Amino acid sequence: MKNRIEEIRNERGIRQEELARQMGVSRQTISSLENGRYNPSILLAWKIAKFFGMTIEDVFIFEEE
């Protein structure tokens, strides 16, 4: 699954550390999400989308294989 976290975060001037703190996860978790090395739980995906004022589908792109 791909995502737009880094793109959206950069557009809004939010650092990885700030997003991580708001989500209650480590900066490394945010980095792993942005680099596609980690798929979030549905709860974390929901929290990230809500933080950005978007839907999960606006932030995360599911690609069928």
Side-chain angles (χ1 to χ4, degrees), residues 51-62:
F51 178 79
F52 289 138
M54 304 173 93
T55 66
I56 290 175
E57 293 84 0
D58 290 334
V59 179
F60 296 91
I61 300 101
F62 178 75

Side-chain angles (χ1 to χ4, degrees), residues 21-52:
R21 186 177 65 76
Q22 292 288 328
M23 297 301 106
V25 299
S26 69
R27 186 203 58 78
Q28 290 84 356
T29 297
I30 300 300
S31 177
S32 292
L33 283 167
E34 291 181 353
N35 291 313
R37 292 188 309 262
Y38 174 71
N39 285 328
S41 68
I42 190 69
L43 180 58
L44 181 55
W46 182 83
K47 287 170 72 175
I48 290 169
K50 290 297 175 191
F51 178 79
F52 289 138

